[in-house]
Amino acid sequence: AMRLIERARYAMRLLSLGNPISAVQHAAGFYDQAHLTPSAQSYAGVTPATIARGEEQLSFLYKK
């Protein structure tokens, strides 16, 4: 479980720095955006596209 959380946090951090989703999913070890999206929603409460657009402040304390 900790590896999944750390991987999602890493991806969200990269997205918040302005990296494209396609590069982030590869760097964080996700197969594709469809694989990344559920992790982002579970651990950050928003989709990767929302983070990439800078519309939402990240909260790594989000609980589903």
Side-chain angles (χ1 to χ4, degrees):
M2 288 301 295
R3 287 186 205 154
L4 295 175
I5 293 169
E6 286 301 317
R7 184 168 68 161
R9 283 183 170 187
Y10 178 63
M12 299 306 100
R13 203 172 310 122
L14 291 175
L15 285 169
S16 68
L17 293 173
N19 293 295
I21 295 173
S22 59
V24 169
Q25 71 194 24
H26 178 71
F30 291 95
Y31 182 73
D32 57 13
Q33 186 174 350
H35 186 208
L36 170 60
T37 299
S39 290
Q41 288 177 317
S42 293
Y43 298 116
V46 293
T47 64
T50 301
I51 295 167
R53 288 190 302 262
E55 294 178 359
E56 191 75 30
Q57 182 177 356
L58 292 178
S59 171
F60 293 123
L61 301 175
Y62 179 81
K63 291 185 180 181
K64 188 174 181 181

